Amino acid sequence: MPQTSRRKRVIEMLNRQVQRRKSLLAMMMLLDSDSSSSSSSSDDHFDDSSSSRSARDAVIFMAAVNSLQEKKLEFARKSRYTFRLGYRKLDEDDVFIRDLNTGNDNERPWLTADEFKQKYRMSREALLVIAERIKDDDVFKNKRGPSQMNPTHQLMVLLDYLGTAGSGANNPKQRAYFHVGNGSVNNSRKRARDAVIHSLGKDFYHWPDENERKNISNCYKMEFNLPNCVGVMDGTLFPLAFQPETEDAADYHGRKFQWSLTCLVVSDQKRRIRWYITGYPGSAHDNRMLRRSPLKVRKEEYFTVYQYIIGDTAFDPSENVVPAYKANPNKAEPDDPDERLLNKVISKPRVSSEHVNGMWKGRFPWLRLIPNRVRDKKSLTEVMKYIHCTVILHNFLIEFGDQHIKSWESEEDRLSDIAEPANDPTDDMPGEEHMLYRGVPAGAPKDWRRATVREYLREHHATFELERNARQDDSSDDEGEDLSAVATEFENYFSRLNNN
């Protein structure tokens, strides 16, 4: 039989008592009326006043008791929490305090720095900075009901959830570890997620303004000889642990995973995610997403007339997109040497885009196998909120300088940072390069921007390679001189020891 709540059982019991008392009261009133009539018509006029008075008192008392029971029944029906058991009071704070504890001279911490980062995907210092930024968010302020957990502890529940792939951090497992209820676990994750979006979103996820885009393009010019490039675009997939329960579930079947969401990402030279779009099913093509995105529809809000982003062969060339050239059938590279040169040049920064996806998913394995079920628009929106939260945290941790653990990424994804330019590379710009700073002429083919970059590389990339190699040789000579000085110092030190 199905279980019933304690409140419902009490209401049913009170209702039965009220009905029985009503029946008993009616019977007592009937007997009292019969007793009074028989007493008044008696021939010997027997004095039964005391007996009648006792019967009437009993009727009055029973009516009062029944009235009280009816009030209790009415109160029970209107009240929702009257018969709820008290909240479980466990020492949940001990778990969070234990994990945050850094130890002292006499006691080692429960979690070392690496163990803490492995569990919560960031250092204690970064976690506490985020907690300080989000603690005053309105989601942590209850208007009624029991008080919430400490915002720092709710953030730790969220990070533990995002740091686990699949169902490894489901409600029962998190409840068992943190000693909180299943409902509290779910609510804590959502509150902390929304607080991160509200409190950190504007500072750590936004498209660069004109001055910042100029600085980014200078970095790409200095490191890769790509003037006016302001980012790298690439697509990635987020696998789903469960088949979507929607009418278009078949569309979520992608080319790599059984069920997935498609995401398009634009990153900068520091591996920050500057723009992304997701929510499309796994079968959606990257170029289709780009065509329908604000990056394409409202391009004047994102680029000047001469700025562009680079991508792979999945994208069509346009005024602000310079993709790689497709190879000819049965060949690994294009036949044209200028096209091969452009592919070679943009391949290096494109590797950094793959590295961004590796860092992002490595930091938050939840993205590698999303355990949330997609049933409707509301449930998909919940998934996208978690994805947006990871984007903000990814950018924040890069700015904070929180290094990720090397085991989180694969060897081929590791890449050195793109150096900041020592000066403005446009100061001594050759005359031919000025064409890169023009808007696309009216009636020009859609490949005009890519052809312009290709021609520039054909004219100047050989000189750029020579200058970069010379800079690298100079830096290696400086390192050699430094090592020689250190070796000489050691020799002098040991000589003094031998003389003594």
Side-chain angles (χ1 to χ4, degrees):
M1 294 181 63
Q3 294 183 352
T4 56
S5 65
R6 186 168 181 262
R7 172 176 173 268
K8 184 175 181 180
R9 293 197 301 271
V10 171
I11 290 175
E12 291 176 351
M13 181 191 68
L14 289 174
N15 189 49
R16 288 194 298 268
Q17 290 178 355
V18 168
Q19 295 303 324
R20 284 200 300 266
R21 285 193 173 92
K22 282 184 176 180
S23 301
L24 182 59
L25 181 59
M27 186 177 297
M28 291 177 63
M29 293 177 65
L30 180 61
L31 292 174
D32 182 59
S33 62
D34 292 343
S35 175
S36 300
S37 61
S38 62
S39 175
S40 60
S41 61
S42 178
D43 295 339
D44 53 4
H45 301 285
F46 178 74
D47 187 6
D48 196 27
S49 59
S50 60
S51 176
S52 299
R53 188 165 49 252
S54 298
R56 285 194 297 272
D57 291 344
V59 171
I60 294 173
F61 175 76
M62 184 62 68
V65 172
N66 195 59
S67 177
L68 180 61
Q69 288 294 92
E70 288 180 341
K71 290 181 179 179
K72 288 183 178 180
L73 178 60
E74 186 67 19
F75 179 76
R77 286 173 174 168
K78 292 182 178 180
S79 177
R80 182 179 179 182
Y81 302 103
T82 303
F83 303 100
R84 177 175 289 182
L85 296 175
Y87 287 93
R88 290 169 288 190
K89 298 295 183 181
L90 297 177
D91 296 331
E92 69 270 8
D93 288 350
D94 292 346
V95 177
F96 299 104
I97 294 174
R98 180 198 66 188
D99 288 355
L100 287 170
N101 181 27
T102 58
N104 50 49
D105 296 337
N106 300 322
E107 181 182 4
R108 294 179 59 188
W110 174 256
L111 295 178
T112 65
D114 287 342
E115 291 171 342
F116 185 91
K117 183 176 287 188
Q118 185 68 40
K119 181 169 182 59
Y120 296 105
R121 319 312 287 179
M122 63 181 65
S123 64
R124 288 182 174 91
E125 294 77 12
L127 187 149
L128 293 176
V129 170
I130 295 175
E132 183 66 24
R133 292 283 299 266
I134 69 174
K135 67 178 183 179
D136 295 326
D137 194 271
D138 291 339
V139 296
F140 298 125
K141 301 173 183 178
N142 275 359
K143 295 182 179 179
R144 58 190 180 93
S147 59
Q148 294 187 23
M149 293 165 49
N150 187 310
T152 303
H153 300 169
Q154 298 190 52
L155 175 63
M156 294 170 70
V157 173
L158 171 67
L159 295 176
D160 176 67
Y161 178 69
L162 297 177
T164 309
S167 59
N170 53 30
N171 287 357
K173 291 183 179 180
Q174 285 199 302
R175 175 191 178 279
Y177 182 84
F178 292 112
H179 296 173
V180 296
N182 287 329
S184 298
V185 165
N186 191 43
N187 291 335
S188 296
R189 292 197 300 255
K190 290 183 178 180
R191 292 193 199 105
R193 175 202 66 192
D194 294 343
V196 168
I197 294 174
H198 298 160
S199 303
L200 301 179
K202 293 183 179 180
D203 294 334
F204 297 98
Y205 176 71
H206 56 84
W207 184 255
D209 58 21
E210 186 173 353
N211 291 332
E212 189 177 4
R213 291 200 302 271
K214 182 179 179 181
N215 181 61
I216 293 173
S217 65
N218 289 347
C219 293
Y220 282 112
K221 172 67 170 65
M222 193 72 179
E223 187 69 19
F224 301 111
N225 197 27
L226 287 171
N228 304 328
C229 176
V230 295
V232 184
M233 180 169 53
D234 191 26
T236 188
L237 293 172
F238 299 134
L240 299 174
F242 303 101
Q243 177 181 349
E245 302 173 13
T246 58
E247 295 181 358
D248 60 343
D251 294 339
Y252 289 86
H253 186 78
R255 64 187 184 279
K256 294 183 179 179
F257 303 103
Q258 187 171 10
W259 316 105
S260 60
L261 294 174
T262 303
C263 182
L264 197 60
V265 180
V266 176
S267 57
D268 64 9
Q269 84 284 6
K270 293 183 178 180
R271 293 173 181 78
R272 295 170 298 185
I273 298 173
R274 307 314 300 262
W275 178 89
Y276 80 98
I277 185 172
T278 189
Y280 283 75
S283 62
H285 195 274
D286 294 345
N287 196 53
R288 173 193 172 193
M289 295 174 62
L290 177 63
R291 288 199 306 265
R292 299 187 177 187
S293 70
L295 206 65
K296 185 76 172 179
V297 177
R298 302 195 304 271
K299 57 187 177 183
E300 64 279 356
E301 299 178 9
Y302 295 87
F303 306 98
T304 60
V305 294
Y306 51 81
Q307 291 175 343
Y308 59 89
I309 53 179
I310 60 176
D312 57 25
T313 57
F315 303 102
D316 292 334
S318 65
E319 179 181 353
N320 305 112
V321 178
V322 175
Y325 282 98
K326 295 180 180 180
N328 292 331
N330 303 323
K331 292 185 179 180
E333 295 179 343
D335 293 334
D336 191 307
D338 293 340
E339 294 180 1
R340 291 199 300 269
L341 174 62
L342 183 139
N343 285 2
K344 178 183 177 181
V345 171
I346 69 174
S347 66
K348 295 180 180 179
R350 279 179 48 221
V351 171
S352 71
S353 178
E354 295 288 345
H355 187 54
V356 169
N357 294 332
M359 289 177 58
W360 185 20
K361 296 180 180 180
R363 175 83 71 170
F364 304 109
W366 177 88
L367 297 168
R368 291 176 175 169
L369 189 61
I370 297 177
N372 304 56
R373 293 183 180 272
V374 177
R375 296 186 174 93
D376 48 27
K377 185 177 180 180
K378 181 179 179 181
S379 58
L380 179 59
T381 302
E382 287 293 309
V383 173
M384 294 172 64
K385 285 182 179 179
Y386 280 112
I387 295 174
H388 189 57
C389 178
T390 62
V391 171
I392 296 170
L393 292 175
H394 169 84
N395 291 346
F396 168 83
L397 293 171
I398 289 178
E399 293 292 333
F400 188 79
D402 191 87
Q403 297 295 324
H404 59 283
I405 299 176
K406 294 298 182 183
S407 60
W408 291 350
E409 55 174 317
S410 57
E411 288 290 338
E412 58 269 16
D413 285 339
R414 294 175 186 170
L415 189 69
S416 60
D417 289 333
I418 301 175
E420 296 287 344
N423 52 22
D424 188 348
T426 62
D427 290 343
D428 301 321
M429 191 187 325
E432 293 84 356
E433 187 176 342
H434 283 220
M435 64 185 298
L436 296 174
Y437 286 80
R438 300 173 186 170
V440 177
K446 65 178 184 179
D447 195 31
W448 187 88
R449 178 67 64 196
R450 182 169 64 174
T452 303
V453 177
R454 181 191 64 199
E455 292 300 316
Y456 165 78
L457 292 176
R458 181 175 61 83
E459 296 291 336
H460 300 96
H461 194 66
T463 305
F464 170 81
E465 289 285 352
L466 292 175
E467 293 176 351
R468 185 172 63 178
N469 292 337
R471 291 197 302 268
Q472 293 176 350
D473 292 340
D474 293 341
S475 62
S476 61
D477 292 341
D478 294 340
E479 292 178 358
E481 293 176 1
D482 294 339
L483 293 175
S484 300
V486 172
T488 303
E489 183 65 27
F490 270 104
E491 289 178 1
N492 296 335
Y493 173 73
F494 285 114
S495 297
R496 290 194 297 270
L497 287 179
N498 294 331
N499 293 334
N500 294 335

